[in-house]
Amino acid sequence: MRFLYAIREGACTKGACAVLFLAPRIERRTARSGCASKMPRLTIAIDGPAGSGKSSLAKRVAQILGYLYLDSGAMYRALALKALREKAALDNFLALEDLARGTHIELKPPTAEQEAAGSKNRVFLDSEEVTQAIRTAEVAQAASRLATIAGVREILVAEQQRAGAGGGVVMEGRDIGTVVFPHAELKIFLEASPEVRAERRWKEHQEKGELMALAQVLEEVRERDRRDRERSVSPLVRASDAVLVDNTAMDVEETARLVVMLAREREEELSKAAGREL
Ligand code: CDP
Ligand code: CDP
């Protein structure tokens, strides 16, 4: 496999907001023929609540398939960090929409060191790296409040669609299979019990030296779940054609194997269908 780097750049139609994706593009060649693989490159949408394992799963699946991995939640988090820094009122919808319009967010693949430390996408907010800074409980709560604003979502969704256009992408979030890519060839709705999801998040805080009671993390996860599921715009719901995967008792690797198997089946089906049409 040869790694090429391609830049997909999108300029927001509504204003200055732009998201730049520096994406590793992998050429897949068959061992026997040496020809570039003719397999279709899917759009894979992974949605689910906080701590269900979306990022770990999406990143691993993208790695195995040679696809681009995109963390849509990182965009809501980056914007929330800016709003917190600027002490913007989180209930002033028009001001937050303006803030989104004037913000530049970039997602890039991690360095080898960051990858070893568990980072998924590198995140840049107006050119400043905020990969770690957006991973706090305060930013998570603010992101889920910003995410209830229709105008903010419209701006970020347009960028996500532009970044994922062309397929060969695994994007994860809350509304990827329902709003961002409703025609994605494979949709996964990832679930796990709230207790297990809170424990996963709590362990991450512990590892970073942030001492939080498990009960507090569980409460915050439940609050964010409620806000994400009950908001009127693009609530967290399972798309009717999404495969429900409950990974309460599964690790990342097992879950990734299952999803890669489903992806290979879809690739085969689409390849056969394309062959019949010729
Ligand atoms: O992106 P999301 O909030 O859905 O979850 P994540 O960041 O992928 O996973 C949260 C934590 O749970 C990470 O530390 C994962 O390693 C861990 N995890 C796990 O232990 N078992 C799984 N099946 C999935 C995730
Ligand atoms: O990693 P975790 O599941 O904790 O959250 P995240 O994916 O980083 O997303 C942070 C917040 O952004 C979520 O609680 C959602 O409110 C919001 N979000 C959204 O509304 N739509 C998306 N496609 C992604 C995130």
Side-chain angles (χ1 to χ4, degrees):
M1 278 197 296
R2 193 155 61 91
F3 283 78
L4 300 171
Y5 282 84
I7 295 176
R8 298 191 193 185
E9 190 166 10
C12 184
T13 46
K14 296 198 78 182
C17 167
V19 186
L20 179 84
F21 294 86
L22 187 64
R25 186 155 56 90
I26 300 167
E27 261 180 42
R28 288 168 66 190
R29 290 176 182 276
T30 59
R32 240 181 310 161
S33 65
C35 298
S37 166
K38 290 279 189 292
M39 274 301 178
R41 290 169 69 72
L42 312 177
T43 297
I44 302 180
I46 300 181
D47 291 302
S52 57
K54 301 177 299 296
S55 318
S56 319
L57 173 67
K59 188 183 165 210
R60 185 72 184 115
V61 169
Q63 204 175 40
I64 297 171
L65 295 174
Y67 281 16
L68 173 62
Y69 159 64
L70 293 171
D71 172 3
S72 69
M75 294 168 62
Y76 290 90
R77 283 176 181 259
L79 189 61
L81 178 65
K82 184 167 176 177
L84 289 171
R85 283 175 173 176
E86 296 193 1
K87 302 201 184 330
L90 295 178
D91 54 2
N92 187 340
F93 289 13
L94 287 179
L96 292 167
E97 219 180 295
D98 270 352
L99 191 75
R101 222 175 266 125
T103 299
H104 183 90
I105 301 167
E106 293 175 39
L107 300 184
K108 296 180 185 178
T111 60
E113 208 174 54
Q114 286 170 322
E115 185 144 24
S119 284
K120 283 123 191 175
N121 279 154
R122 289 179 78 187
V123 186
F124 291 80
L125 172 64
D126 297 327
S127 304
E128 175 199 346
E129 179 154 15
V130 293
T131 308
Q132 296 303 326
I134 60 168
R135 300 289 158 198
T136 67
E138 188 191 15
V139 170
Q141 287 297 335
S144 85
R145 291 185 62 186
L146 281 182
T148 62
I149 305 171
V152 167
R153 298 198 72 85
E154 216 177 283
I155 292 166
L156 296 188
V157 166
E159 294 304 330
Q160 291 153 13
Q161 289 170 333
R162 219 182 313 275
V169 65
V170 187
M171 191 178 288
E172 50 101 358
R174 301 293 190 290
D175 59 343
I176 310 304
T178 49
V179 176
V180 181
F181 292 117
H183 303 297
E185 290 90 359
L186 179 61
K187 299 180 188 177
I188 304 292
F189 194 85
L190 198 60
E191 266 292 5
S193 74
E195 290 75 16
V196 163
R197 292 191 281 115
E199 199 180 331
R200 290 173 180 169
R201 269 287 129 81
W202 175 78
K203 276 192 191 147
E204 286 182 327
H205 288 305
Q206 294 279 106
E207 280 160 18
K208 286 194 279 182
E210 296 164 6
L211 299 180
M212 282 176 86
L214 179 57
Q216 186 193 340
V217 180
L218 178 59
E219 183 45 40
E220 288 189 3
V221 161
R222 284 193 198 280
E223 188 185 341
R224 211 140 56 89
D225 282 358
R226 185 189 46 72
R227 210 181 280 128
D228 287 344
R229 290 183 202 273
E230 292 179 4
R231 67 180 173 227
S232 56
V233 271
S234 312
L236 171 67
V237 285
R238 176 184 161 199
S240 57
D241 51 350
V243 179
L244 177 64
V245 176
D246 188 318
N247 71 0
T248 302
M250 284 162 84
D251 66 19
V252 176
E253 210 49 44
E254 282 173 290
T255 320
R257 272 201 299 274
L258 172 68
V259 172
V260 166
M261 192 190 75
L262 295 171
R264 298 253 190 253
E265 279 176 13
R266 287 297 287 141
E267 283 183 344
E268 286 286 334
E269 277 167 24
L270 291 169
S271 170
K272 278 187 192 146
R276 277 196 299 274
E277 275 170 24
L278 287 178

